[in-house]
Amino acid sequence: MTTVRLMTYNVRGLGDDVSALATVVGDLRPDVLVVQEAPKLLRWRSRCAGLARATGLLYVAGGRTAGGNLLLAHQRTVVLGHAEERIPQRLRDPIRGVVSATFAVGGRRFGVVGVHLSLSAPGRTRDLDRVLGTVRSFGDLPVLVAGDLNEPPGGPSWRALSGAGLHDAAGDGTPTFPAREPRARIDAVFASGGARARAVDLPTDDEGRTRLARASDHLPVVVDVDLDG
């Protein structure tokens, strides 16, 4: 069985406790980390590289070139290709984009797509057109779509992803925002039909909850994915 651990995390531009963030990631040991709100302004390349070093992962793709979406990976993964795309936005709206890569673990190939959808409903529809185009580019490979949807389950974006043949890989109903008192589930991982997944529990002890609250305003979502179906 080929199992991959994928983690998605909105890190709020590294504006919180980066040491706590690095510990959270290190403790959860992802094979692939999908980041939203990665540094995308001054010194964004060096700050993305610094996050990779702090978490013990390798930079794959993204940052400003993908609208703040970033992919990092464990050294056991093999990167076979990657792509970055900026999505045109209205004047004064935050830059957004899509980052993607083809990976292999144990000889099993799979795709990952990192997203951070718009705050507005029309913007999310526009963003999803690009996201689903990227998903289709992987053909028959298992694909994982991960990120901040800025929308709760049952919304149009969730329905569009499901309609494209992707299923909610961490459908345990756990809210992800805000981290200190989570009430809304707006961060998610979707998987193509052949990939079975199960959610990984976050720390529930006092120290773990405090660290999560210090690391970012979002909680991460972590799934173990069986790529063999």
Side-chain angles (χ1 to χ4, degrees):
M1 179 184 296
T2 304
T3 301
V4 171
R5 176 164 291 186
L6 183 137
M7 178 177 186
T8 184
Y9 210 167
N10 183 320
V11 302
R12 192 156 63 165
L14 302 182
D16 297 286
D17 187 333
V18 178
S19 176
L21 173 66
T23 300
V24 168
V25 175
D27 287 349
L28 288 164
R29 305 183 306 279
D31 294 301
V32 178
L33 174 61
V34 184
V35 176
Q36 303 84 53
E37 293 193 28
K40 57 186 180 182
L41 298 175
L42 185 66
R43 298 175 44 249
W44 69 268
R45 292 183 186 277
S46 61
R47 296 182 68 205
C48 288
L51 177 61
R53 288 193 298 272
T55 55
L57 301 172
L58 302 175
Y59 173 88
V60 176
R64 182 176 177 82
T65 48
N69 294 293
L70 173 69
L71 292 178
L72 305 178
H74 190 274
Q75 61 184 1
R76 89 178 182 106
T77 65
V78 178
V79 181
L80 301 175
H82 63 81
E84 304 162 330
E85 182 181 6
R86 290 271 295 275
I87 301 174
Q89 303 290 316
R90 296 178 306 177
L91 186 65
R92 297 189 179 88
D93 280 356
I95 64 172
R96 298 199 184 275
V98 184
V99 66
S100 61
T102 303
F103 295 97
V105 171
R108 191 72 168 90
R109 298 168 66 222
F110 62 100
V112 174
V113 181
V115 304
H116 186 187
L117 301 185
S118 172
L119 289 168
S120 74
R124 289 193 290 274
T125 299
R126 180 179 59 242
D127 296 346
L128 268 176
D129 286 343
R130 301 297 184 92
V131 170
L132 294 178
T134 302
V135 171
R136 289 191 291 270
S137 73
F138 286 99
D140 295 332
L141 283 185
V143 181
L144 307 172
V145 179
D148 178 353
L149 303 187
N150 269 321
E151 182 182 278
S157 302
W158 295 70
R159 296 197 303 271
L161 289 162
S162 296
L166 300 159
H167 62 272
D168 180 3
D172 58 355
T174 303
T176 61
F177 182 83
R180 293 185 182 277
E181 295 181 12
R183 298 182 297 274
R185 183 172 177 239
I186 61 175
D187 305 271
V189 178
F190 281 78
S192 59
R196 294 181 298 175
R198 59 187 180 277
V200 175
D201 292 334
L202 300 180
T204 57
D205 60 288
D206 289 344
E207 181 180 0
R209 289 199 303 268
T210 298
R211 183 177 294 120
L212 285 164
R214 285 168 36 210
S216 176
D217 61 337
H218 287 243
L219 295 177
V221 177
V222 188
V223 296
D224 285 339
V225 184
D226 173 12
L227 296 174
D228 298 319

